[in-house]
Every structure is written in C-alpha cells, then in structure tokens.
Amino acid sequence: MSITETTTRRPNTESPTAATRVHRPAMPRSATSRILVIAGLAVAAVYFLFPVYWLVVAASKNTAGLFGSSGLWFFNPQYFENIQLVLTRDGGIFLRWAVNSLLYSGVGAVVATLTAIAAGYAFAKIEFKGREFAFGVILAGVMIPPTALALPLFLMASEVGIVNTYAAVLIPSMVSPFGVYLGRIYATAAVSDSLLEAARLDGAGEARIFVTIVLRVMTPAAVTVLLFQFVGIWNNFFLPLVMLSDPSLYPITLGLYGWQSVADRNPELAQLTVTGALLSVVPIMIAIAALQKYWRGGLTEGSVKG
C-alpha cells in the first residue's frame, strides 16, 4: 500500500466519528428551531384571529349586552334577531350594499385579473421596444398606496362626469399592477417557449394561444391575482368615500361607516354595525376557502421562480 493510498483512506476511517460529532448537535438545534417556529406561528394566529373571535362574540349580543358585558364572552346570544335587524334596517339597505360590494369586487377582480395575466404574459414572452421601461413604470405602481391615488382619481372622474356613479369605483378597480408583476414572474417560469413555438407552427394565432394554452397554464397565478384583487376591492373604503355620495351606491364598508358615525345618537346602530361587519366577512371566507389550493400554488411558484 502506498503512502498516497494510506493518506487517502484515513479520512474514510475517521469519517463516521467526525460525522457523528458534527451531526449530533444539529438535531437539538433543529428541534429548537421547530419549536420556535411553531410558537411564533401560534402567536401570529392568536394575533390575527382574536379580532375575529371578538367580532363573533360581539355580534351575538343585544345593544345593552354589547356595552354592559364582557367583550370576551357571550351574553344571551341572539344571532338570528341581530341578523334580521341588519337585513331589514332602512328597507333592506344592507342587502343593497352587499350587492354593490359584489358588483364592485366581482367585476373589478375579473377584469383586473384578465388584463394583468395578459400583460404579464406579454412582458414575459413577447419582445417589443420599451418593454422593460413600461414594466418598470407598472412596477412603480405597486409601491404607491391606493389612498394616495384617490384624490387624483376623483379629479379625473370629475372631469369626465362619472362621480357618484358605479363607474367611479369600478374603473379604478379594474387595474392591478401587482397582478401584472405576478403574471410576468409566473409566465416566465411556467409557460414553455417550446410549447408556444409548437402552437405557432401549427398555425395558432396569438389570441388563440393565450386563450387555449396560456390561461390554462397560468390558472394558479390568475386565481391568486383574483383573490388579492377581490379582497382588496371588497375592503376598499377610501375610494368609495371620495367618489360616492348616494347611499344606494355604497359598498358595505362605506355603509357600515355611515351607521357607525351616527351610533352615538342611536346606540342600536352600533350593534347593527358589528353584526353587519360579521356578515361582510362571510363572502371573503368562502372565496378563500374555495380557492386556497390555487392561491397557495400561485404564491409558491412565484416565490421559487422569481
């Protein structure tokens, strides 16, 4: 046996002991990290779920119980009576607000999703002059808070005469810069160039390729954009506040704000506001529960490939 072979074998004979020395301390660290992560997630879950718990408890009480009992426990629950009062108040105006919210959120989210996915696909797969500059401008829109755009949008809406109409809220809701950003990331990772080239060789036009191939491949990203946009429009408050003055056009957020603003003169409206707030989160919970599989897939794909 040569010196070279002996030198080469030495690490092999010592490797199990060395591996044991290195590997054993790693197990407690892994367990500790897991415990810390679980504890952190538990704290975050309690932080986010506590307001929901308070809302569920508060919506079960009458007006006297809302102000005269503990806010953390039930007091003569009467959900159905409270819901009936909300739905019949002022000739059923809450149902009108709910329909308006569905209109703003549904139409705005669908149109914004389609345009964002189409734009993201174009930025990712189609070469054209000024592509990166245009994408940079759209990306800057992600960083501008929506409240900062409310006043300029109101001035533009005033110029074209659509203030205090459905269009005043719908048109600004049909744009999603974040959706364009996510669409480009997802299209870059998921839409194969060879697949597009094969479709073009078979004679398919760009519109047909987008409808029959790209939309199917980008379904997880589309659902993610749809959910983000739907929740964002549903919870939007400042834009309707600036644009609308007719209560029959209000979404739920603005209608409940109107009730709460006069609750000091009519305490019953405070209870109706709480119950209405509980009812307003039901559509969002249903949408997220139904589409969470696609939502997680879209976010994961974007985070890995982006």
Side-chain angles (χ1 to χ4, degrees):
M1 181 180 296
S2 65
I3 296 176
T4 304
E5 291 175 344
T6 305
T7 307
T8 305
R9 286 184 178 183
R10 280 178 180 173
N12 294 333
T13 57
E14 295 175 356
S15 57
T17 305
T20 303
R21 287 174 182 173
V22 173
H23 185 63
R24 281 179 178 173
M27 295 179 64
R29 285 202 301 269
S30 177
T32 303
S33 301
R34 184 178 301 176
I35 292 173
L36 291 176
V37 169
I38 293 174
L41 292 176
V43 172
V46 171
Y47 177 80
F48 287 108
L49 291 178
F50 182 77
V52 179
Y53 169 76
W54 180 90
L55 187 62
V56 171
V57 172
S60 69
K61 302 176 181 178
N62 56 21
T63 304
L66 180 64
F67 295 105
S69 64
S70 171
L72 300 180
W73 196 243
F74 297 92
F75 178 79
N76 295 331
Q78 52 173 39
Y79 283 111
F80 294 108
E81 292 84 349
N82 291 340
I83 292 174
Q84 184 179 9
L85 289 174
V86 170
L87 299 182
T88 57
R89 179 80 183 183
D90 296 334
I93 190 65
F94 182 84
L95 291 175
R96 180 65 179 267
W97 296 339
V99 172
N100 292 340
S101 290
L102 286 174
L103 175 66
Y104 296 136
S105 303
V107 175
V110 170
V111 175
T113 300
L114 290 176
T115 55
I117 293 300
Y121 163 70
F123 279 119
K125 296 297 179 180
I126 299 176
E127 295 284 346
F128 57 90
K129 187 177 181 180
R131 182 179 67 168
E132 296 303 325
F133 175 77
F135 183 71
V137 172
I138 293 176
L139 196 60
V142 180
M143 305 174 188
I144 301 176
T147 52
L149 300 175
L151 184 57
L153 288 173
F154 172 76
L155 296 176
M156 288 190 287
S158 298
E159 289 292 329
V160 297
I162 61 172
V163 171
N164 199 31
T165 65
Y166 284 109
V169 178
L170 266 178
I171 293 177
S173 302
M174 294 177 179
V175 179
S176 174
F178 172 74
V180 177
Y181 169 72
L182 183 62
R184 178 175 184 174
I185 292 176
Y186 197 92
T188 303
V191 180
S192 169
D193 292 333
S194 59
L195 180 62
L196 299 177
E197 188 63 26
R200 293 188 180 107
L201 290 176
D202 289 340
E206 294 299 330
R208 183 179 178 185
I209 292 174
F210 177 74
V211 174
T212 60
I213 298 176
V214 175
L215 277 183
R216 292 184 181 181
V217 174
M218 296 184 67
T219 297
V223 173
T224 303
V225 176
L226 181 72
L227 274 177
F228 271 111
Q229 194 70 7
F230 185 90
V231 174
I233 300 172
W234 186 274
N235 292 327
N236 195 359
F237 169 76
F238 197 65
L239 181 64
L241 176 67
V242 171
M243 294 289 189
L244 304 177
S245 58
D246 184 357
S248 65
L249 301 178
Y250 286 178
I252 289 180
T253 51
L254 191 55
L256 293 180
Y257 170 76
W259 280 358
Q260 180 62 32
S261 62
V262 296
D264 54 344
R265 298 192 297 272
N266 186 357
E268 183 188 12
L269 289 177
Q271 175 55 50
L272 298 185
T273 303
V274 172
T275 306
L278 178 62
L279 293 176
S280 70
V281 303
V282 173
I284 296 178
M285 295 173 66
I286 294 175
I288 291 178
L291 302 174
Q292 62 177 336
K293 179 177 65 176
Y294 301 100
W295 184 34
R296 287 200 303 264
L299 286 177
T300 304
E301 187 74 16
S303 63
V304 172
K305 300 295 183 182

